[in-house]
Amino acid sequence: MNNHYQLLVIGGGPAGLAAATTAAERGVTCALLDEQPTPGGQIYRAIEAIPEQRAKLLGPEYLRGRKLVNEFRQSAAEYFPETQVWSIDKEHQAGLLHNHQAHFITADQIIIASGAMERPVPFPGWTLPGVMQAGAGQILFKSAGIVPDNGVVLAGSGPLLLLLAWQYLHAGVEIRVLLDVTPFANHLQALPELPRALLAYRYLSKGIAYQLELKRAGIPIMFGVSDLTAEGNERLQRVRFSHAGKRKSIVSELLLTHFGVIPHIWLTQAAGCKHRWDNSQQCWRPELDDWGNTDIEGILVAGDGAGIYGARAAEHAGRLAGLQVLSALNVISRQERDQLSRKDRKRLHEERHIRPFLEAYFHLPDNLLATPGNDTIVCRCEEVTAGQIREAVAAGHENSNQVKFFTRCGMGPCQGRQCANAVAHIVADARGKSVAETGLFRGRPPVSPLTLGQLAQLPKKGTA
Amino acid sequence: MSSDVIIIGGGLMGASTALQLAMRGCRCIVLEKDSPGRHSSGVSAGGLRQLNRDPAEIPLTVEAAKMWRNIEALLDSDCDARFPGQLRIAENAADMEKLERRAALVRSLGYQHEEMIDRDELYRLVPALSPHCVGGLICREDGYARPYHALTAFRRKAQAQGAEFRSDTKVHSLRKKSGAWHVRTSQGIFNAPILVNCAGAWAKAIAGMLDEPVPLTPKALMLMVTERLPHFVDPVMGAASRKLSFKQMQNGTLIIGGALLAKLDFAREKTEIDWLRLTESAATVLRFFPQLKNVRIVRAWAGIEAFMPDNIPVISASQTCSNAYHAFGFSAHGFQLSPVIGRILSELILDGRSTLPIEPCHIGRFNNMEKQ
Amino acid sequence: MFKQLPADETEIIGIVFNGKALQAPKGISVAAAILSRNPDHTRTTPVTGSKRLPFCMMGVCYECLMVIDGQANRRACATYVEEGMRIETQLGVGPALALEGGGSE
């Protein structure tokens, strides 16, 4: 690993792979850092080594990743797997952990392709062993061929839930029930967005096909579910919920939930990039121009880390960011950049047709996001409840950061990744303000923990 | 909006002053440009330290220590205060000599709170310490508390006594008209006959509005905190000849400081951790506790604080305007003093004099310096 | 709760979980290897001692903290199995630190 590269790409998913390949093809020195042992990101996880039979179960969209990874492998970009980035600053210096050693490297340009994470939505019992995120189920399946053994309940909202159900169905997993918490009112809200969404018929038809197949297989799907609760003595035993005006329950030792995905913004936050609250996607996202430039010169974002548009869009955005970097480095002219970007820009545009519809259709109700039950744990690390957060607000702590100071909510090892949004929603709800006003936790480095020994072994600098 | 006293700055000093004035029947309003404790008050390391203070601060710190012992009576909250002692470690004979001179100085001033300990006592108190150390200087009454909790307790008690706190209220200008201060802010005009400047790193700007220049420098000191660990150490530790502040909180986390500066963009109020400097803190910690090598740092931060050239605060009436007072420039060691500062200011304002000696903290000490 | 689908020609390595020798396919995460054995829990929380299992499997939630090769608080989902790796359930804040003489012998 060198101390300096012309381009540093963080993240080995579709956006990062496409960006690095685009830049490296033109002779730019490029390093791609990724936490996983092999390229592909969460979406194409383990794509290189996966047994053929398992790959087929995951479906054709998954297999798309092969081409992307092959092209990246053939490029001159240097690849550093199992590497964590723990700091990044506006001077383009990144602190990273590679082979358990801390390093600093600098780059003329940095593309952050950090991707998405599951939107954490606290509900009663979500900390019980046996409750996991749907993405976790998918990762276990892709990377290790591990699937539920004794039945599973799937619950939540969003396309991934249906996809996972379809994949499990083909893998012979017993799906006890699929509980869809999408409010019925959303169907009407999403209607005006439907004509544009029809341009992306591929998505719609796929969703419908999945549903039909699940139905044919006799898997019960319940719509308009609410008050989801995980119950059990020290581990999940029952899932309770309201449906069609009745309280119901089903026995299960495994519940996988999904409430959509949100951008992974911890790196852009650490770099000091400007973010805004997006009401339609219900998340914070970095502010970017059409090429992926943040408000900090030479730091770009591509893919779902910039806002949720999906894997295919991420690939196109990655190429656009790669071209922008080439132009910023004077490897190609602006005219060349514009010319070379036409196809990807067109495709990206098409990929985005479906989004307003999906965002309206899967919009989560505010009362779900604001954790109605006072006894529900919001901060999984420090075990702070929604009630304690409301008490802090009542005692005059007016924004998310004050609530964090007072309750330690968000001060555990996950650094608030699991509770930041819920706290913002609870505080906003309690104060009658908007989420944008009550604010996001200020980012506190390191982005991922490093040890005192690793820090001490970095080169010293003159003291204050 | 009018009151008896306007306090600028909703940090510890402002809230403590509001409480003491309110307890004596004054109507106070506290104007805070962000939210209370946004900068140094909220993110301080929380040391309750009498040890190794400037002689000018000793009478104040000793009185403040008495108040902390009984803090629940004042604030209806114990602020999570603990008193396991604060300790400066000597690593060699030169360090011991340095600490002995310090102990002698404190004794000569008539105080007994700083005490030399030998190697045996050091390892009795901190058995986990690396074996190379030789002794230390300790103040057994010292300890730590949680700064944001203390600030909240001051604010809540002051509010219960009638004080008002306004967040997001930035002072734009000050004017005196027929014996009253007119404070123009982002949230309208406030009036009161008396004005107090507790604006921390922004106190220089407020003093400037009173035509009173002060050599205040805003700086941001870095702190880091680790994951929770099994209990392994009690006293708060520093070192005789190294930059270190080290303690294990009740919840098991370690808080590590070392007077190292973050990168600061004061105009934008932004700090950035300087990791290459923090390497020094990490190396110092491991020098004393090598067993912490694999302990993870989960968070680092820096708060913006006011530093004076002599590292002691300004606690004083204004020299240029009547009915204006200052308390700022605590130079990153004001937390322990906060309860007594409110009392001193309430005395200055209501009795015309403080019962504690504050002459060395007078704003006039910089007069010559500013003219040069 | 979980089972491993029959794999083709995967290389198998040996790991130790809570003192017990186990086999795991090379290249999978510690969290996956342990979950396939259906453990009761992989850690207890430092605050209330409640039991937890991995939650997100993608390095975000820090629920999967375990003691790996003697080091506490390692993310099992972002650590990959190696021959001879020792993995333990993490109880609360993890094993005690050396309480004497800086941990030296």
Side-chain angles (χ1 to χ4, degrees), chain B residues 337-359:
Chain B
L337 297 176
S338 58
V340 84
I341 298 303
R343 207 168 81 193
I344 290 170
L345 278 178
S346 70
E347 290 170 354
L348 276 179
I349 291 165
L350 300 177
D351 311 330
R353 56 178 295 276
S354 160
T355 50
L356 287 165
I358 53 167
E359 294 74 26

Side-chain angles (χ1 to χ4, degrees), chain A residues 89-91 382 395 397-398 402 405-406 408 411 415 442 444-445 450-453 455 459 461 463, chain B residues 35 38 148-149 152 155-156 167 228 251 272 274-276 279-280 293 295-300:
Chain A
D89 64 26
K90 56 183 188 300
E91 287 86 32
E382 295 291 320
H397 303 284
E398 297 172 332
Q402 286 184 296
F405 280 169
F406 193 68
R408 285 191 60 81
M411 286 195 179
Q415 290 262 44
R442 273 186 291 279
R444 297 289 203 205
L450 81 161
T451 66
L452 284 167
L455 179 57
K461 194 167 105 178
T463 50
Chain B
S35 50
R38 167 67 185 87
Y148 189 76
H149 283 242
T152 298
R155 173 176 63 79
R156 300 268 289 162
S167 294
R228 291 174 189 253
N251 63 23
E272 194 174 278
D274 188 338
W275 288 101
L276 288 176
T279 59
E280 195 200 1
K293 171 167 74 75
V295 165
R296 282 163 178 73
I297 301 153
V298 296
R299 215 162 43 248

